Amino acid sequence: METISENRSFDGVQGVYKHASDACGCDMTFAVYLPPQAAEAPVPVLWYLSGLTCTHENAMTKAGLQEHAAMHGLAVVYPDTSPRGEGVADDAAYDLGQGAGFYVNATRDPWKPHFRMYDYVLTELRDLVSGNFAVQDRHGITGHSMGGHGALTIAMRNPDRFQSLSAFAPIANPTQSDWGRKQLSAYLGDDEASWADHDATLLLEDKGWQGDILVDQGGADQFLDLLKPEALAGMMTRRRQPGTFRMQKGYDHSYFFVNSFAGDHVAWHAERLY
């Protein structure tokens, strides 16, 4: 693991690191914020999965999680959203290929040699973080947009590995959205039955979640028709899933929205991880 940078932030350390990934078959860059409490003892971990077109850097610099993480004593991990580099497949569209990994393990060419973000986040990066940073084996996960989709689906499929769950404006029903059908067919093939493991609404119906879920959605989000929040909110009601779904009046899909409610989400996770 190579250290790219480390900066003091709210008496903790915001670092950026690079390593050779076996899962993705290329070098991957990620960021970790360690709060000041980590200098004394290992702390719980909050995973933040970013959305389409983002790298580790977007949320690290715009979401404003560090101040809240320092207050509550949580480490924050920011993975990249896809494999990158020479030899990694890509597409001219912004919503497929590099920057748009959708947190799945691709099974179709040309994507399958590198696009294994599900394994990367769930196992490889988790093991790397656990082995190199002062963190406990207690993990929460959140994310925005495509990252909210990733957080919800990874957690619901692996309840033994996560103790808390939230999302900002997640792609909530991708099997019924153009932000999903295009990517799932490209990465996984045309058998729609294989897509269900990557649809938060369908997973909630099938598996539920062991605890409660916090979801914030901007009421003025320009992508509401693609995100389909009503599908997830309706399934939470029908399944009687404990949780809170908040439609935030006037907020759009930007990092200004994420930043506005970041403190609520960090506090939510801290309450469940400590």
Side-chain angles (χ1 to χ4, degrees):
M1 187 180 74
E2 176 186 351
T3 300
I4 304 299
S5 63
E6 288 185 334
N7 300 95
R8 191 166 181 83
S9 175
F10 296 100
D11 290 327
V13 177
Q14 178 62 69
V16 178
Y17 309 93
K18 182 169 72 174
H19 73 112
S21 167
D22 291 332
C24 296
C26 63
D27 286 347
M28 296 291 288
T29 303
F30 67 98
V32 176
Y33 176 71
L34 284 179
Q37 296 87 338
E40 304 296 328
V43 296
V45 185
L46 176 59
W47 292 77
Y48 182 97
L49 305 186
S50 291
L52 287 167
T53 75
C54 292
T55 70
H56 69 279
E57 186 174 13
N58 297 77
M60 181 185 80
T61 59
K62 297 179 182 179
L65 295 170
Q66 292 90 340
E67 180 177 9
H68 308 294
M71 183 185 308
H72 292 283
L74 294 183
V76 183
V77 179
Y78 308 85
D80 203 345
T81 56
S82 78
R84 299 178 192 272
E86 187 177 352
V88 175
D90 201 7
D91 189 271
Y94 76 94
D95 57 355
L96 186 68
Q98 295 186 35
F102 261 75
Y103 304 100
V104 305
N105 288 338
T107 58
R108 295 188 71 193
D109 288 328
W111 313 106
K112 69 180 182 181
H114 299 285
F115 280 72
R116 302 188 60 81
M117 290 301 295
Y118 179 86
D119 281 353
Y120 178 69
V121 170
L122 181 65
T123 302
E124 184 177 29
L125 186 56
R126 180 180 173 124
D127 289 347
L128 188 68
V129 169
S130 296
N132 288 277
F133 299 92
V135 297
Q136 300 176 13
D137 189 20
R138 290 190 61 75
H139 298 258
I141 190 166
T142 189
H144 173 230
S145 194
M146 179 183 72
H149 139 80
L152 292 168
T153 56
I154 289 173
M156 281 189 273
R157 291 178 64 187
N158 300 277
D160 58 323
R161 309 213 81 188
F162 297 95
Q163 288 74 49
S164 57
L165 174 60
S166 74
F168 300 85
I171 302 174
N173 194 196
T175 62
Q176 303 302 315
S177 170
D178 287 343
W179 271 1
R181 295 187 64 83
K182 171 183 177 179
Q183 295 82 2
L184 295 175
S185 63
Y187 295 141
L188 304 178
D190 295 328
D191 179 8
E192 296 190 18
S194 68
W195 302 357
D197 279 346
H198 304 286
D199 186 306
T201 298
L202 298 180
L203 280 170
L204 187 62
E205 180 179 29
D206 181 42
K207 298 180 181 297
W209 171 248
Q210 61 195 3
D212 47 358
I213 304 170
L214 173 62
V215 178
D216 274 308
Q217 171 63 62
D221 193 312
Q222 60 270 44
F223 301 115
L224 280 174
D225 290 343
L226 292 165
L227 300 170
K228 298 194 177 298
E230 66 280 358
L232 183 62
M235 187 57 67
M236 289 177 69
T237 300
R238 290 194 296 277
R239 207 184 190 283
R240 299 180 180 177
Q241 170 65 45
T244 302
F245 190 106
R246 306 190 301 192
M247 188 67 74
Q248 301 290 2
K249 183 178 180 181
Y251 283 90
D252 60 16
H253 199 67
S254 70
Y255 274 100
F256 294 108
F257 157 67
V258 175
N259 188 290
S260 296
F261 301 101
D264 290 353
H265 283 249
V266 173
W268 169 279
H269 286 277
E271 184 177 342
R272 287 150 183 80
L273 293 172
Y274 271 101

